[in-house]
Amino acid sequence: MPKSKSFASSIIVVTGATAGVGRAVALAFARRGARLGLIARDREALEIVAADIRTFSSDCAIAAVDVADAGAVKTAASQFVSDLGPIDIWVNDAMLTVFSPISRITPDEFRRVTEVTYLGVVYGCMAALPVLQPRGQIINIGSALAYRGIPLQSAYCGAKHAIRGFTASLRTELDHDKSGIAVSLLELPAMNTPQFDWARTHMPRRPMPMGTIYQPEAAAAAVLRVARTRAREYWVGNSTLLTIVGNMIAPWYLDRFLARTAVEGQETNQAVSPERRDNMFEPVTDLHRTHGRFGDQAKSSAAVYPGDATRAAIVAAGALIFCLLGVALARLSSRD
């Protein structure tokens, strides 16, 4: 693919950069001339991604740190500034999940998912703010599950809800201070990433994405778009739109629907192997890659909806419907 110059010489940091969406995002920026700082736990996997990035003649620095370690993330940010220069964009993508009913999750597992998926974003933002360019940008990777919790992923859903609240608070503080730094949030659908091969599970059958599945490159394309537009929020994929809108209109219906379908909907017919490894507390080096095993079901592109405009359109449509109903009822009454 020819290299676009739209991000030439931009310095971009990506957390969770060795697999899935984070890896796809890093490669997408590299193809467009950016210089990358990569954060993940596994040094060997980082070196493999860095080698791929350098094939595009892009500078790359790596930091093998756990995003749950605030001090290590801050040190990595300073290292990237020293190696590459002041940072233009910081993408917080690292995540963990566990597939399990709440009754079977241990406190340590719940804490670990929260520390990586939620606090990893918090620590990333804290590290980024002092080293970003005056008109830099933070992009936080969220999920449709930030609006709608589902069975078997309570820790992950809780963390994604928390990211949404934290991002809104951070944005208002920066606005108050008249900062030029933009804070953007992407809500993603189900993605075909390795998480379903290495996430911890307490279920009898192997986990799978629920609903419409998209390739990580679809998320990467949305990240590139929000990096160009500096928009506040994007909803990626029709399934994300339907989930968020459905929860706005009829959360009680989704409660019942998900109770009936979402447990079996997140399991394949294959039994979990007794030798299954997971990345809860240690990385699984050989499973690092961009794509998961659901490529034959995954869409390569996704519609992207501006969250604010879409929300406003829904409210306006609802108001119009009620107005028309009111007019119709008034006419019926005038005939009686």
Side-chain angles (χ1 to χ4, degrees):
M1 177 185 294
K3 183 172 71 176
S4 164
K5 293 295 184 182
S6 56
F7 292 99
S9 300
S10 295
I11 298 170
I12 297 167
V13 174
V14 182
T15 74
T18 52
V21 170
R23 188 170 183 156
V25 167
L27 290 170
F29 276 119
R31 290 187 182 99
R32 288 155 181 84
R35 304 163 70 194
L36 275 297
L38 308 180
I39 293 177
R41 289 179 293 174
D42 193 311
R43 179 168 295 277
E44 182 179 340
L46 279 168
E47 289 172 348
I48 292 170
V49 179
D52 289 342
I53 284 172
R54 292 185 183 113
T55 64
F56 301 104
S57 301
S58 296
D59 288 341
C60 185
I62 63 173
V65 302
D66 189 330
V67 296
D69 184 337
V73 176
K74 185 175 181 179
T75 299
S78 298
Q79 173 200 323
F80 292 147
V81 172
S82 176
D83 293 345
L84 302 171
I87 295 167
D88 296 290
I89 299 173
W90 184 292
V91 183
N92 287 306
D93 173 69
M95 55 77 67
L96 282 177
T97 191
V98 54
F99 292 91
S100 174
I102 295 170
S103 60
R104 298 183 201 165
I105 299 177
T106 69
D108 284 344
E109 290 168 345
F110 216 108
R111 182 183 304 110
R112 179 64 178 158
V113 172
T114 303
E115 287 174 344
V116 172
T117 306
Y118 170 51
L119 291 180
V121 169
V122 175
Y123 299 155
C125 291
M126 287 178 169
L129 288 172
V131 298
L132 279 170
Q133 298 274 25
R135 283 191 53 79
Q137 183 180 16
I138 294 171
I139 301 173
N140 292 335
I141 304 299
S143 168
L145 303 187
Y147 285 85
R148 174 68 249 183
I150 64 173
L152 302 187
Q153 292 202 68
S154 57
Y156 180 80
C157 292
K160 289 298 185 180
H161 274 71
I163 289 169
R164 189 159 61 94
F166 168 78
T167 300
S169 291
L170 174 59
R171 188 184 292 117
T172 57
E173 290 184 9
L174 292 173
D175 285 349
H176 172 270
D177 295 339
K178 296 181 171 54
S179 170
I181 295 172
V183 182
S184 303
L185 182 61
L186 264 66
E187 310 293 14
L188 300 186
M191 308 300 301
N192 177 38
T193 71
Q195 68 166 303
F196 301 96
D197 291 327
W198 65 19
R200 181 164 293 188
T201 180
H202 297 312
M203 302 302 290
R205 293 182 293 276
R206 296 177 72 182
M208 65 174 290
M210 181 176 175
T212 306
I213 306 169
Y214 296 86
Q215 295 285 28
E217 287 80 5
V223 171
L224 294 177
R225 179 169 171 177
V226 81
R228 294 188 184 100
T229 64
R230 295 167 62 88
R232 183 177 181 276
E233 181 179 11
Y234 280 145
W235 302 345
V236 181
N238 292 331
S239 56
T240 299
L241 172 70
L242 293 173
T243 298
I244 295 173
V245 173
N247 198 61
M248 290 170 58
I249 296 171
W252 52 269
Y253 172 77
L254 284 183
D255 287 346
R256 296 174 183 175
F257 174 77
L258 292 168
R260 292 195 309 268
T261 64
V263 172
E264 292 79 6
Q266 294 180 82
E267 291 185 286
T268 68
N269 294 323
Q270 301 168 310
V272 171
S273 168
E275 286 77 39
R276 180 184 175 94
R277 298 167 295 162
D278 68 64
N279 71 339
M280 180 65 65
F281 296 103
E282 297 291 338
V284 185
T285 300
D286 57 297
L287 291 182
H288 283 83
R289 58 190 189 277
T290 303
H291 301 104
R293 55 194 167 85
F294 301 96
D296 58 339
Q297 304 171 44
K299 294 186 175 183
S300 59
S301 62
V304 178
Y305 300 92
D308 294 335
T310 306
R311 191 179 289 107
I314 293 165
V315 171
L320 178 61
I321 290 170
F322 279 112
C323 181
L324 293 174
L325 285 173
V327 170
L329 289 172
R331 288 180 177 174
L332 288 173
S333 298
S334 65
R335 293 176 183 173
D336 292 341

